[in-house]
Structure formats: C-alpha cells, structure tokens
Amino acid sequence: MLKKLLEKVNYNPGIIAQISFYSKRMRQETQIRRLSLIFIILAFLIQFFAFISPPQATVADSPNDLVNGGFNSASQAAKYCNSNLSDYGVILANYSITCDEVRNSNVVTLNSDSYNRQLFSMGRIPYGLKGETPVNINNTTYYFRYLWAWDTMGSSNYQALRVVASNQKTYFLLFNCGNLVSIGLPKSPDLSISKTTTPGYPTAGSLIKPGQTISYRILINNVGGTANNVVVQDNLPNYTTMIGFESKGASDYPTNLGTSLPTWKYNTVSKNDDYYIDLKAQINNNTPNNTRICNKATITSADTNILSSNQVCMTVVYSTPTPTPTPITPTTTQTCQYNPALPSSSPDCKPCQQSVSSQDALACIRVSKTAANLTQGIANANGTTAQPGDEIVYTLYADNTGQATVNNYVFTENLSSVLTYSDIENLYGGKLDSSNQITWPTVNIPAGQTAFEKVEVKVKNPIPQTPTSTSDPGYYNLQMINVYGNTVTINLPPSTVKTVENISSTTSTLVNTGPGTNIFIASIMVVIVGYFFSRSRILAKESAIIISNMSK
C-alpha cells in the first residue's frame, strides 16, 4: 500500500494526506501487534515451564512408601540414603546395601511376574496381601509381600534401580515409592554362634578335675545385614562358677560373676565383623566323680529368632581312687512348671504348644480383630460398605493360648489406611503418634484368658475422592483395610468423579499430555507474530520519514 502511494506522490502532491493517514494506522497496528506478541510470549513461557516441570504422579503420597514421593535418579536415591531420610539409609544398610552402591546402580524396568513371581516388595504398613511377612529393623516393623499381589489386571511394570549389595545379593529400588524389592524373602541378618575352648585349656571331650579352670570362647558371626539389639546368653551347667570374662563390643555385660546365666548385650552387630566373649569358669570342688559337664550359648536379636551354639562337653574325674561314697538321699529333680512329667531343663518345657522357645512369650499370644458399624447396626462390618458419617468400632483381641501369664503385653495398631477415610472418635486410653500408630498401656494376660482394646472412628463426610496412588494401589482405593492377626476390610461408596490414577496395569507413568508439541507450536506462533509486529513497526517508521521529507 505504501509503495503505491509513493508512486503517485510525484503526480499528485495532495496524496500526502493519505500517507499521513496510513502512517497513523501503522502506528496503531504496531501497538496492537506488540500487545499480541506479549501475550504470545507469556503463553510460550507457561508451556515452557510445563515442559521442564513434568506432572507429579499424585498428591496422594502413601504412608506405605519407604520414600515419600519416591525419587527420579540414582543420585537422588543415594542422597536420601546418605541423609537417612525416614530411616532409608538404616533400612538399606540392614540388607548390606551402601549408599555408594545405590549411586552406582542401573535403571531397569521390573515386571511383577519376573523371577518366577518370587519378587517381594517392602512397605511400612500391613495390607494382608499374599505372602505378607513382617520384619523388624531398628525396632520398627516393616512388611514384605509379593510384588504381584498389587496387580489387578495382569502383571505390572515398574521403573527401578538394580542394586548389587556388598554380599552380592541383587535388590531393586522402585522409583515411584523407594520401596525395596528382593528376589525371595531376604534373610537379614544372618547370625550364627559357636563355642569352643581356648587353646591351652582342656579341650572338648577331655577329662577334667574338680577345681580346674576352663576357658571358653563364644564367637558371634553375622554374614547378613546389621543386627540390632543382640543378646548373647551362656547357660553354665551345674557344678561350675563363672570367675571372669572378656568381651568385645558389648554394651552391657554381667556384673555378678556367680550367675549361672550370664548375659551380654550388643546395640548392633555389623556384617562380617566377628565379636567374641572369652569366659572363664571353675569346676566346683564338690563335683561328683564322672560328672559330665556340658554347656552351650544362645543368641537372639530384634531381627532373628533364638539360635543356639554347639554344645561343649567334658567329664570330671578324680586322679585318686574314689572312696566308697556315703549313701545320700537323692535330690528331688525340679519338674517343669507347665508339664510335671518333664524336668525343668527339658527343651520341651515351654509355655506354648507351638514349637517355639519358651523365651518367646509372644508365641503364646493369638491376635485377632473385629469391626462393628454402630450407625448401621452391623456387628461384623468386615466386607460391608460404610456410608459417610458412619461410626465404626474396631476391637483388638489378644488370646493367651499358653500355660503361663504373659506380662507387659503391648497392644499396638497402625491405622494409616483407616484414617485415610475416617477420623478418630475415641482411642479408649490409647495414644496416636505421627505415623498413625496407636499404642495402649501394657497389660498382663493370664493363661487361657483374652485381653482386648478398642478404637472408634467416624467415616469422613464427604468421602475423599483422591485418585489412587500409582506407588501404592492400596492407598486411596475406597477401602479401609486393617490387619491385626486377620484382615478387616470395609468398603466405601465411590462418587461419579472418582477416578483411578493408574489407568493401565501395564504402565507406571502418566499419559503424555504433549507439552513438547505445545512448545513447538507456541514457538512458531511467536515467530509469526513477531514478524508481523516488526513489519508494521518498520512501515510506521518509513511513512513517518516520508512525511517529514515532504514537509521540508
């Protein structure tokens, strides 16, 4: 347009008015195009930040996750390990996994059916799923269960770090939750104990004399992960007295040398770090001739059952002929308090019928749980559907099936899943901590009797419709699941807007919403709008120059 006006200006000087009008319109158009360019650039920036900040999996972080929200790289997982975020470093160290091994791990895609469906994943709360097995690490209970137990439709794929621990066992760390996955149930720690006589002293099976000193060595070996709260106990036989000892690494040890059951305690026993106890015992002078002296030691920890050492035996003999003994009245053998037909020293003398050690008092306790819907008048609410505002009472039972009183029993219950959809109404004397764990005061449960505790909750109104977490399909799934011996599940009604975040059982990533495509389109629009803005700006300047020259 401007070019045509310039071609006529020599023949029609009055056309300058048209050029002035054109110049004014170009300036107005420049202002409009500038405003358009600003908005286009703002839209481009929004798309750009959406591109560099991908959507998070969910706002429903699960209390079952070992790492809340998971991690996105091996370096970030190693950072959480080094900082011991939520005891993550302690958990990994328990299975001989170092933070450096995490940092150097490889990213793999893990299928829940791999390794002959023998993959077990660890979480913080119980769900009653297939293969669920509790483990104790640093006085905290965690739960292993089959990885495929979470599947609803076919197998699932997970992005994970493949870590080879220092004991050459392979583990996996899931990106979306940090949970530890093991091939088979891991054995941690792997404690063993043995007993020998110190070289230079009477060896096992030899003949000894009254008054002689025997030096024993108790060896503790751990080839698994770190063991916590380890207790070693030596069972000295009759006619022997402890006269001294030396121990390595013990945090607590006997103060009375005359005790027949000396005990040593260790806060931790590290992998491949051998600990020992050198114990000196003296044979009493009144020991009868030909008495066989045998003894062994036991070891237990917060992470393992009670283990026994080998037995070391010797025979006491006199060096001179034994005179004819004076008849004495036979001493009455002490009988087992649970079964008079057995001596008290019999390994079958125990408070429970199960094949467990009598030192494990909890082996006599059988726990169970019920739930009642007070609002709907349902005595057994397991498997039923609760409505918003319903009041539910959970009752925990501990039945002493043994033959002796269990002292200082502690009822403890994790209500994380329940409190997702409800609020506490009455704890009945219990205390709730930050991890939704309820603990009641200790109780003594006599043999054959049952103790119980209760907790009352009220279903939220309205019921939260938060999408189910991809890291924990059991969280925000419209079910209140609780495990105490048996599993109690109470269903909740969905609304029409309730959705499941993980829409496919074969993927653990969100659908691609196309931010890269949007960035490309926005870039083209910025170029086009910028071109027209620059063109109108140049034309406005050129027309202003022409008018200025013609006015001279």
Side-chain angles (χ1 to χ4, degrees), residues 269-501:
V269 173
S270 303
K271 174 181 176 293
N272 292 333
D273 191 357
D274 292 335
Y275 295 81
Y276 64 84
I277 300 169
D278 284 340
L279 170 65
K280 289 185 178 182
Q282 188 176 50
I283 305 301
N284 296 347
N285 288 323
N286 61 347
T287 305
N289 191 33
N290 294 321
T291 299
R292 189 170 171 80
I293 302 293
C294 297
N295 90 313
K296 61 182 179 179
T298 59
I299 184 171
T300 186
S301 77
D303 312 288
T304 63
N305 296 323
I306 297 174
L307 302 173
S308 296
S309 73
N310 56 298
Q311 187 166 252
V312 178
C313 294
M314 302 179 188
T315 303
V316 177
V317 295
Y318 288 84
S319 58
T320 57
T322 304
T324 303
T326 303
I328 57 174
T329 304
T331 57
T332 303
T333 303
Q334 188 175 2
T335 60
C336 174
Q337 60 175 315
Y338 313 115
N339 184 356
L342 298 173
S344 60
S345 59
S346 171
D348 295 324
C349 177
K350 50 197 173 188
C352 306
Q353 295 300 319
Q354 297 96 320
S355 297
V356 295
S357 168
S358 61
Q359 298 183 48
D360 185 5
L362 296 185
C364 301
I365 297 296
R366 181 176 58 198
V367 298
S368 59
K369 183 172 189 175
T370 61
N373 190 322
L374 301 183
T375 305
Q376 299 185 30
I378 302 175
N380 183 7
N382 183 28
T384 63
T385 300
Q387 299 298 322
D390 280 5
E391 294 184 354
I392 311 292
V393 172
Y394 291 95
T395 305
L396 286 67
Y397 299 94
D399 182 17
N400 186 353
T401 62
Q403 304 174 69
T405 298
V406 173
N407 296 312
N408 301 320
Y409 181 78
V410 178
F411 280 93
T412 181
E413 170 74 318
N414 191 299
L415 285 185
S416 293
S417 177
V418 173
L419 295 182
T420 301
Y421 292 108
S422 64
D423 298 307
I424 295 290
E425 287 287 291
N426 193 339
L427 289 174
Y428 293 94
K431 291 184 179 181
L432 181 69
D433 63 18
S434 58
S435 61
N436 294 328
Q437 190 89 8
I438 303 177
T439 304
W440 285 267
T442 60
V443 294
N444 298 333
I445 309 177
Q449 296 192 20
T450 301
F452 67 90
E453 297 289 355
K454 296 193 296 184
V455 58
E456 182 177 341
V457 301
K458 185 175 183 180
V459 179
K460 293 180 180 179
N461 189 6
I463 295 174
Q465 300 298 316
T466 306
T468 302
S469 171
T470 54
S471 67
D472 182 3
Y475 191 56
Y476 276 112
N477 63 346
L478 290 176
Q479 288 183 323
M480 297 193 299
I481 303 174
N482 196 244
V483 180
Y484 193 79
N486 56 301
T487 302
V488 174
T489 302
I490 298 178
N491 302 311
L492 298 167
S495 72
T496 56
V497 299
K498 172 69 177 178
T499 60
V500 178
E501 181 185 88

